[in-house]
Amino acid sequence: MRLTALFAGVAVALTATVAQAQERITYKSAKSTSSYYQMGVQIAEAMKAGTEGGMIVTVEESQGSVQNVMEVRARGGEYVFTTPPALIGLAQGGKAMFEGKSDPAFDDIRALFPIPSLTMHFVMSDASGVTDFAGMEGKTILLGKGSFGAREGEKYLGLFGLEGKVELAEVELSNAVAALKNGQIDGFVTAGSYPAPNVIEAAATTGVTVMSLSEDQIAQTKRTKLVIPAGTYAGQEADITTTSLPVAAFTTTKMSEDAAYMLTKTFWEQRAEMGEAAPWWNGVDEGLMSSITSKLHPGAIRYYKEAGFALTDAQM
C-alpha cells in the first residue's frame, strides 16, 4: 500500500510538472469566416506539433485589427494578436482611429513574426476582354462593402482616373464568383492572402485576368509592392505585380523572453510544412521582415540573431 501510494504521489508530481511546463497562448486573429482565422488555426496546430505539446495555442475570433490592438490594455503575457504593422505606430502615437484612445500599454507592444500580407487582386473575366485599368471604363465591378479591399479598391479607381467611369455592382463579395459566371459583373476586387480562394475558383471555372499595376501606379497607392508568381492561378502565365498591406503577429513585453523565443522559432521551423498544406505561407520569407517597422520582442530577437536574420535598428 505504501509503495502504491508512493508511485501515485510521484505520478501526480510528474503530471503537475508537465502542466506547469506547458505554455498556453491566446491568438486573436480575425472573423471566423476569414482566411486569417484559418491561418491562426494552422499556427496553433504548428505550435503544438513543433513543441510536442509544450505550447498550446487557443485561437480567438476578432472583429478586426483595431480591436486586437485595443485589447492589449487588458491582456496578460499570453496574448498574441495580428494587425498591420502600420497600426502599431498609429496606436503608440494616438493617431487616426486611436486618437483620444492612447494608452501606455501600447508602448509595450512588440513584434514576433510576419504572416501573409493582404494582397490586392483586380480580377476581370476573360469575357470582358479587359487586361488593364483603362479597359475597366464602362464595365461593372464588384468592390464589396466595408472591407479593406473595398476601401482600397475604391481609392485605386480614383487614383487611376476611373471614379464615376465604372458601374459598381450592389452584390456581396461572397457572391463574386457566381456573379462573374452569370455575367452579372465584369470583374471584382478582393484583398486577401494569395492564393485567394475566390480568385482560385474564378480562374478555374470562368477564366480571368488578374491585372498588374505599373510601377507608377504602385507609387501612387503608397502601398507595398508584391509579386504573385506565375502559375499561382489557372491560366496565369506571367507574374502579377500588385500591392499589399503587410500583417504580422505581435505580443507585449508581458510575455516572457523564453515564450516569445519558442513562438518565433517554432513558427519559422514549421513554416515550410504549413506551406505544403496552405500555399499562402509560401509567400512568407525573410524578405517580409522589413515590413515590421516597430520593435521586436527580446525573445524574437534572440531567435533572429541565432538564425542569422538581418534586423533593422528600429526593430531592436
Side-chain angles (χ1 to χ4, degrees), residues 221-306:
T221 68
K222 298 182 180 179
R223 292 296 186 191
T224 303
K225 177 181 175 179
L226 185 143
V227 176
I228 301 174
T232 298
Y233 299 112
Q236 181 202 340
E237 297 179 355
D239 290 349
I240 298 164
T241 305
T242 186
T243 60
S244 67
L245 180 66
V247 184
F250 294 84
T251 186
T252 70
T253 54
K254 292 178 183 177
M255 177 173 282
S256 72
E257 183 174 324
D258 287 345
Y261 171 83
M262 186 56 63
L263 271 169
T264 306
K265 181 176 187 289
T266 306
F267 169 79
W268 287 104
E269 289 180 347
Q270 294 290 310
R271 187 200 60 81
E273 190 168 330
M274 287 194 291
E276 291 178 6
W280 50 47
W281 292 110
N282 296 329
V284 178
D285 56 23
E286 186 175 347
L288 266 188
M289 286 297 296
S290 62
S291 68
I292 296 176
T293 51
S294 58
K295 290 182 179 180
L296 291 159
H297 193 286
I301 291 174
R302 193 212 309 177
Y303 168 74
Y304 289 125
K305 285 183 174 180
E306 285 181 2

Side-chain angles (χ1 to χ4, degrees), residues 25-202:
I25 300 295
T26 298
Y27 184 97
K28 199 168 187 74
S29 56
K31 291 182 179 179
S32 59
T33 54
S34 74
S35 59
Y36 281 91
Y37 187 90
Q38 182 60 35
M39 288 177 206
V41 173
Q42 291 164 348
I43 285 176
E45 293 169 348
M47 292 297 164
K48 184 177 181 180
T51 62
E52 297 183 341
M55 184 165 280
I56 300 299
V57 176
T58 300
V59 182
E60 277 190 12
E61 185 177 15
S62 162
Q63 296 306 305
S65 296
V66 174
Q67 179 195 2
N68 293 355
V69 176
M70 294 296 289
E71 288 199 16
V72 162
R73 300 173 299 175
R75 297 283 191 147
E78 82 295 341
Y79 184 54
V80 174
F81 64 97
T82 63
T83 189
L87 260 65
I88 303 304
L90 293 176
Q92 292 173 343
K95 298 177 181 177
M97 65 285 289
F98 298 101
E99 186 175 355
K101 301 176 183 178
S102 58
D103 193 282
F106 296 154
D107 293 332
D108 296 331
I109 294 173
R110 297 292 184 269
L112 294 170
F113 47 79
I115 63 174
S117 301
L118 277 166
T119 304
M120 288 299 293
H121 292 73
F122 284 83
V123 184
M124 301 300 298
S125 69
D126 286 346
S128 73
V130 177
T131 57
D132 58 25
F133 283 91
M136 291 175 68
E137 186 171 343
K139 301 298 183 181
T140 302
I141 308 298
L142 171 59
L143 292 181
K145 297 177 182 177
S147 66
F148 168 78
R151 294 190 299 272
E152 198 79 350
E154 185 177 13
K155 182 180 85 172
Y156 289 18
L157 293 180
L159 288 173
F160 305 157
L162 289 165
E163 186 174 359
K165 297 180 180 179
V166 300
E167 184 74 26
L168 298 180
E170 294 295 325
V171 182
E172 293 295 328
L173 187 59
S174 58
N175 296 323
V177 177
L180 198 71
K181 282 167 133 178
N182 64 30
Q184 189 178 355
I185 60 174
D186 297 300
F188 64 92
V189 180
T190 187
S193 52
Y194 80 87
N198 52 357
V199 182
I200 290 174
E201 183 182 357

